[in-house]
């Protein structure tokens, strides 16, 4: 080949300048890629570090809220237990009203069995009716209080449920964030990844402020129910103390009225028994007087018979001897005087008999009244006392 051909061949060969430029561009591009890789690596590490810090902070926030929630939960559980114990005491107090009320009603019924003259609406009846009213009022009040305690326990349990659910969710979130903090770039190879970032953004429906407010609201509600529970417990404690004092005071007043009435009945019964003894003694004395009068009438009749016999015998004197001599006059006067004394004795005996009948009527009246008093005394001192004696109103 000739020399001109070689020149042409050199002219159409590789463009070394372009190749050099391309090589330089490649070197620069590789350097830029290396820097990009380094920057990306640094950015990823920085973002991972920031992620870990944010996750750690989030875990600490959750732990802080968890402690607050756990404290409130413990307090509300303790308050529920205290209210349950208070409810038991109220139920016990309500049960303690049944026997005193039954005894009071029984005493009223027993006192209605007194005989009509003694069946008076006396002070004992009034105190028993007041006692029944006090016990029924206390029982009704305790029933309403028991309902209030039951409702407060229900509210506290509702708050307890919400706190437990919040704690459960906080625990789950803490476990997940702890797991996230422990994850590395190589530990996610086998995990399912979301299809797009938009899907991730759509799953978050609660803002951080709302997230914190949820627990704050639950704790605020718990605190409010605690305040309500404390107020209710204070009211119930005061109520139990006051109702106990009212029942004890009224029971004591009724017992003292019973005792006073028993003493009055015993006193009246004693006076009537003393009077009955005097009436019986007087009746016996009057009986002896009547017998003495009858003996006196009998003796006087014998003397009268003697005087009359003498007069009859003196009529047998001869005609000229039948004169009104002093002896005859004495006999006639004697008969007249003896008849007068006999009439007086018989009149006295009749009055004595009438007096005895009056004494018998007094005796029967006294015995009847004593029997009525004895019946009333038995009801108050024995029957009612036996019912009331076992009743002891203890502290609620």
């Amino acid at each position: 080949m000739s020399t001109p051909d070689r020149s042409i061949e050199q002219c159409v060969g590789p463009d070394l300048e372009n190749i050099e430029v391309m090589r330089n561009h490649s070197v620069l591009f590789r350097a830029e890629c290396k820097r990009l890789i380094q920057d990306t690596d640094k950015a990823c590490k920085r973002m991972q570090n920031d992620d870990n810090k944010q996750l750690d902070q989030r875990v600490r926030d959750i732990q802080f809220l968890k402690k607050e929630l756990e404290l409130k939960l413990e307090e509300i559980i303790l308050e529920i237990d205290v209210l349950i114990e208070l409810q038991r005491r109220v139920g016990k107090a309500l049960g303690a009203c049944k026997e005193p009320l039954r005894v009071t009603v029984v005493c009223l019924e027993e006192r209605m069995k007194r005989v009509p003259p003694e069946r008076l609406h006396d002070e004992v009846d009034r105190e028993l009716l007041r006692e029944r009213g006090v016990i029924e009022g206390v029982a009704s009040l305790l029933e309403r209080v028991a309902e209030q305690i039951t409702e407060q326990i229900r509210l506290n349990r509702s708050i307890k449920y919400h706190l437990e659910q919040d704690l459960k969710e906080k625990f789950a979130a803490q476990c997940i964030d702890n797991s996230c903090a422990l994850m590395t770039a190589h530990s996610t190879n086998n995990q399912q990844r979301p299809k797009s970032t938009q899907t991730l953004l759509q799953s978050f429906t609660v803002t951080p402020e709302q997230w914190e407010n949820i627990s704050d609201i639950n704790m605020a509600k718990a605190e409010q129910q605690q305040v309500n529970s404390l107020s209710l417990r204070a009211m119930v404690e005061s109520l139990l103390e006051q109702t106990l004092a009212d029942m004890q005071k009224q029971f004591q007043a009724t017992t003292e009225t019973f005792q006073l009435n028993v003493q009055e009945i015993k006193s009246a019964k004693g006076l009537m028994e003393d009077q009955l003894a005097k009436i019986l003694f007087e009746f016996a004395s009057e009986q002896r007087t009547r017998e003495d009068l009858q003996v006196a009438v009998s003796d006087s009749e014998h003397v009268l018979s003697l005087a009359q016999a003498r007069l009859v015998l003196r009529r047998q004197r001869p005609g000229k001897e039948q004169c009104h001599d002093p002896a005859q006059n004495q006999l006639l006067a004697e008969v007249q005087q003896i008849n007068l004394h006999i009439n007086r004795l018989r009149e006295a005996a009749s009055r004595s008999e009438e007096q005895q009948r009056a004494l018998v009527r007094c005796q029967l009246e006294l015995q009847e009244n004593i029997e009525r008093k004895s019946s009333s005394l038995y009801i108050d001192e024995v029957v009612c006392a036996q019912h009331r004696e076992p009743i002891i109103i203890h502290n609620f």
Side-chain angles (χ1 to χ4, degrees):
M1 186 175 291
S2 64
T3 301
D5 293 334
R6 289 196 297 269
S7 300
I8 294 171
E9 191 174 297
Q10 291 174 351
C11 292
V12 298
D15 189 350
L16 298 177
E17 291 180 359
N18 285 337
I19 292 173
E20 182 68 21
V21 170
M22 290 299 295
R23 188 182 66 78
N24 291 334
H25 278 302
S26 178
V27 170
L28 290 173
F29 178 72
R30 284 189 297 105
E32 184 179 352
C33 288
K34 186 177 181 179
R35 287 194 302 272
L36 180 61
I37 290 170
Q38 290 174 347
D39 291 342
T40 302
D41 184 61
K42 289 179 181 179
C44 288
K45 288 181 179 180
R46 186 181 66 252
M47 287 186 291
Q48 286 179 1
N49 187 46
D50 291 340
D51 288 344
N52 289 333
K53 289 181 180 178
Q54 291 297 326
L55 287 171
D56 289 341
Q57 181 61 43
R58 181 66 172 177
V59 168
R60 285 194 295 271
D61 291 342
I62 293 175
Q63 288 175 339
F64 174 78
L65 282 178
K66 273 183 62 184
K67 288 180 180 178
E68 294 292 320
L69 289 169
E70 286 170 353
L71 179 61
K72 284 298 174 187
L73 181 59
E74 289 177 2
E75 291 175 354
I76 207 71
I77 290 174
L78 179 61
E79 192 62 39
I80 290 172
D81 292 339
V82 172
L83 284 177
I84 290 174
E85 174 60 22
L86 186 61
Q87 187 181 45
R88 186 194 65 80
R89 288 175 57 199
V90 171
K92 183 179 178 182
L94 190 58
C97 293
K98 293 181 180 179
E99 186 61 17
L101 180 60
R102 185 193 69 81
V103 168
T104 302
V105 173
V106 168
C107 288
L108 284 168
E109 293 173 350
E110 288 293 335
R111 298 193 93 242
M112 286 299 294
K113 297 177 183 179
R114 294 173 297 170
V115 291
E118 292 290 316
R119 198 184 302 160
L120 302 173
H121 187 60
D122 56 7
E123 190 62 28
V124 175
D125 279 342
R126 285 188 285 272
E127 289 296 337
L128 283 171
L129 290 173
R130 273 194 288 268
E131 184 173 275
R132 185 179 67 180
V134 167
I135 297 174
E136 288 176 345
V138 168
S140 176
L141 190 58
L142 290 175
E143 286 177 354
R144 292 197 297 272
V145 166
E147 292 174 359
Q148 290 178 343
I149 295 174
T150 300
E151 176 62 17
Q152 187 60 54
I153 291 174
R154 186 192 68 79
L155 293 173
N156 288 358
R157 284 174 173 166
S158 175
I159 289 296
K160 173 176 172 286
Y161 170 79
H162 288 294
L163 290 174
E164 288 174 340
Q165 288 299 112
D166 199 357
L167 274 170
K168 182 179 178 181
E169 292 173 358
K170 291 288 185 296
F171 177 76
Q174 181 182 352
C175 291
I176 291 173
D177 285 345
N178 282 329
S179 298
C180 289
L182 295 174
M183 289 173 66
T184 63
H186 302 289
S187 64
T188 60
N189 293 332
N190 296 327
Q191 293 187 2
Q192 184 178 0
R193 297 180 182 180
K195 295 181 179 180
S196 66
T197 306
Q198 186 67 27
T199 304
L200 287 174
L201 293 175
Q202 290 176 355
S203 65
F204 296 101
T205 59
V206 179
T207 65
E209 292 77 12
Q210 291 174 332
W211 172 81
E212 190 171 354
N213 285 338
I214 291 173
S215 296
D216 290 341
I217 291 171
N218 285 334
M219 287 188 289
K221 288 181 178 180
E223 189 170 347
Q224 182 60 49
Q225 293 307 324
Q226 278 183 279
V227 172
N228 294 343
S229 296
L230 288 172
S231 176
L232 178 62
R233 284 199 286 119
M235 183 271 289
V236 173
E237 291 288 352
S238 175
L239 184 66
L240 287 175
E241 184 178 351
Q242 184 61 46
T243 52
L244 173 66
D246 291 343
M247 286 182 62
Q248 288 177 335
K249 181 180 178 181
Q250 183 57 50
F251 192 82
Q252 182 63 28
T254 305
T255 300
E256 290 175 356
T257 305
F258 260 112
Q259 293 172 349
L260 180 61
N261 189 60
V262 166
Q263 293 300 322
E264 290 176 353
I265 293 176
K266 284 183 176 180
S267 178
K269 180 171 173 286
L271 290 174
M272 286 188 287
E273 287 173 342
D274 292 342
Q275 194 65 32
L276 177 61
K278 293 177 181 179
I279 289 292
L280 292 175
F281 177 78
E282 188 63 30
F283 180 84
S285 299
E286 194 68 39
Q287 181 67 28
R288 288 193 296 271
T289 300
R290 183 184 175 192
E291 291 173 355
D292 292 341
L293 288 171
Q294 289 175 346
V295 170
V297 168
S298 179
D299 291 344
S300 298
E301 286 177 344
H302 290 157
V303 174
L304 177 62
S305 296
L306 176 61
Q308 289 174 341
R310 286 175 177 175
L311 285 172
V312 171
L313 184 60
R314 294 195 82 218
R315 288 177 184 170
Q316 295 178 7
R317 290 178 298 169
K320 294 180 181 180
E321 296 295 327
Q322 292 187 8
C323 65
H324 286 281
D325 54 8
Q328 185 71 16
N329 291 335
Q330 179 62 35
L331 287 172
L332 290 173
E334 182 180 357
V335 168
Q336 185 178 3
Q337 290 294 324
I338 291 173
N339 279 325
L340 181 60
H341 284 296
I342 289 174
N343 288 336
R344 288 177 178 176
L345 287 170
R346 285 175 176 170
E347 184 180 349
S350 177
R351 288 201 304 272
S352 177
E353 185 179 1
E354 182 63 30
Q355 190 67 31
Q356 280 186 301
R357 285 196 292 269
L359 290 173
V360 168
R361 287 195 296 271
C362 290
Q363 174 189 346
L364 293 175
E365 183 179 356
L366 284 171
Q367 288 174 338
E368 185 178 355
N369 283 325
I370 289 171
E371 186 177 352
R372 288 200 295 263
K373 292 294 181 185
S374 297
S375 175
S376 298
L377 185 63
Y378 177 77
I379 290 173
D380 285 354
E381 188 179 30
V382 179
V383 178
C384 291
Q386 286 178 349
H387 284 294
R388 294 177 65 84
E389 185 177 1
I391 299 300
I392 300 176
I393 302 176
H394 296 287
N395 292 335
F396 295 151

